Amino acid sequence: YTKENKETKVRGKTDPDTSVTINERWVIVDTTGNFSYTLPLLPGENLIKIVVTDRAGNQTMVERKVSYNP
């Protein structure tokens, strides 16, 4: 991220037949399983919660913290 933008890009790769949310917002997964999302940052610590759900309803969750100090 940069101080001017106050945002970070979250990117990843999963199976193409899954759905992804980042902080409860739906993210598009392309046909090869890639996804990305530009997340606005607030000053201080920001929690990024990524949830991947397959067609059977199984979920995998990953949480990361990012600090932003303007």
Side-chain angles (χ1 to χ4, degrees), residues 35-64:
F35 64 89
S36 68
Y37 178 72
T38 302
L39 182 72
L41 297 174
L42 299 173
E45 191 171 85
N46 293 263
L47 179 65
I48 302 171
K49 181 178 174 183
I50 303 166
V51 179
V52 179
T53 307
D54 68 12
R55 287 185 177 218
N58 301 308
Q59 290 187 334
T60 301
M61 183 183 67
V62 176
E63 289 184 344
R64 296 289 185 259

Side-chain angles (χ1 to χ4, degrees), residues 5-40:
N5 289 343
K6 300 180 186 176
E7 61 190 24
T8 189
K9 185 160 288 240
V10 179
R11 290 181 254 188
K13 185 168 177 93
T14 187
D15 293 328
D17 292 336
T18 59
S19 61
V20 175
T21 61
I22 298 176
N23 289 2
E24 299 182 14
R25 299 207 182 258
W26 291 104
V27 178
I28 295 172
V29 179
D30 70 16
T31 56
T32 60
N34 293 302
F35 64 89
S36 68
Y37 178 72
T38 302
L39 182 72

